[in-house]
C-alpha cells in the first residue's frame, strides 16, 4: 500500500504553496505550520514532509525554529529539506527534531559531501532529492537546471547505498494537473529496490490511487489538501481499508 505523506512548505514561518517552484506564484494557506501538523497527526498520519523554501532560496536553513516547534508538538516522523548545504545545516535539522533530511542540490554540486553524509547518518536518514525539469535535475530551490539526467544521476547514488528518493516533476508541482506517473514508472523499472516518493501534481484521491496501482511506494501531496480537493479523513479510511 502506498505511503501517504502530507507536505508543509514554509516561507516566512507560514504554510504556503508555490506553483512550479515559482516564488512569485505563492499562496499562503495558514499562519501556523505547527497547527497544520497537529491536524495531520490528529487525522492519523504518521509522516510529514517539511520544506524550508526560504532556506532553499537562501542556500542555508532559515526556518529551523518552525521545524523544532512541529517536532516538539507532534509525534510525526518528519523529513525536512531546503537549504541544507553544510555540516552545520544538517546538524541543525537533526537537532531540531527531523528524523530524515532530503538532500538535492548538494548531491549535484558536491557529491563527496553528500556521500560523507550518507556514510555518517545512514541511508535510513538521508533522502536523495531528485527534482526534474525538462529531464534534467534542478537545484537551488529549482532556480537552476543542472546537466544531470535523472536516471544516470540516480544510478551513482543507488550504487552508493541510497534507498530513499523523493522525485518531483517540477512542471507538475502545485498545478493540480495530475502526477507524472510515467516518469515514476520509469524510475521504478530501472531501480525497483528504491523507496520512491512521488511528488508534484496530485489533485485527488484518484491520483493517489493511480500511483498506488502503478506500484509507487509513497506520495507527497500538499496543495490538493489546502485547496479542499482531498478529504483527508476519506483518504485515510480508503487506504487503511485496502
Amino acid at each position: 500500500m502506498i505511503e501517504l505523506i502530507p507536505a508543509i512548505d514554509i516561507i516566512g514561518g507560514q504554510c504556503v504553496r508555490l506553483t512550479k517552484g515559482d516564488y512569485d506564484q505563492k499562496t499562503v494557506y495558514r499562519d501556523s505550520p505547527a497547527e497544520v501538523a497537529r491536524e495531520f497527526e490528529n487525522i492519523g498520519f504518521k509522516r510529514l514532509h517539511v520544506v524550508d523554501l526560504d532556506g532553499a532560496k537562501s542556500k542555508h536553513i532559515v526556518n529551523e525554529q518552525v521545524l523544532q516547534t512541529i517536532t516538539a508538538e507532534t509525534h510525526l516522523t518528519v523529513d525536512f529539506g531546503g537549504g541544507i548545504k553544510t555540516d552545520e545545516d544538517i546538524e541543525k535539522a537533526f537537532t531540531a527534531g527531523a528524523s530524515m533530511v532530503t538532500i538535492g542540490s548538494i548531491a549535484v554540486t558536491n557529491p563527496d559531501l553528500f556521500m560523507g553524509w550518507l556514510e555518517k547518518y545512514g541511508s535510513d536518514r538521508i533522502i536523495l532529492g531528485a527534482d526534474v525539469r525538462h529531464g534534467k535535475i534542478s537545484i537551488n530551490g529549482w532556480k537552476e537546471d543542472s546537466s544531470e539526467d535523472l536516471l544516470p544521476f540516480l544510478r551513482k547514488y543507488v550504487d552508493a547505498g541510497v534507498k530513499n528518493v523523493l522525485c518531483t516533476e517540477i512542471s507538475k508541482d502545485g498545478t493540480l494537473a495530475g502526477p507524472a506517473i510515467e516518469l515514476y514508472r520509469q524510475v521504478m523499472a530501472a531501480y525497483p529496490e528504491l523507496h520512491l516518493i512521488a511528488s508534484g501534481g496530485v489533485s485527488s484521491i484518484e491520483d493517489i490511487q493511480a500511483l498506488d496501482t502503478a506500484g509507487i511506494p509513497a506520495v507527497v501531496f500538499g496543495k490538493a489538501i489546502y485547496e479542499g480537493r482531498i478529504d483527508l479523513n476519506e483518504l485515510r479510511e480508503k487506504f487503511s481499508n485496502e
Side-chain angles (χ1 to χ4, degrees), residues 83-104:
I84 299 175
K85 308 292 187 187
T86 65
D87 290 333
E88 181 183 6
D89 287 324
I90 197 170
E91 283 297 330
K92 275 185 181 180
F94 285 133
T95 299
S99 298
M100 294 167 279
V101 293
T102 300
I103 309 295

Side-chain angles (χ1 to χ4, degrees), residues 65 213 219:
Q65 185 58 54
T213 300
V219 58

Side-chain angles (χ1 to χ4, degrees), residues 51-73:
V51 180
D52 181 356
L53 290 173
D54 290 315
K57 191 173 184 179
S58 302
K59 301 184 181 181
H60 62 85
I61 289 180
V62 174
N63 287 291
E64 72 266 22
Q65 185 58 54
V66 178
L67 170 63
Q68 189 170 14
T69 302
I70 289 171
T71 58
E73 295 184 4

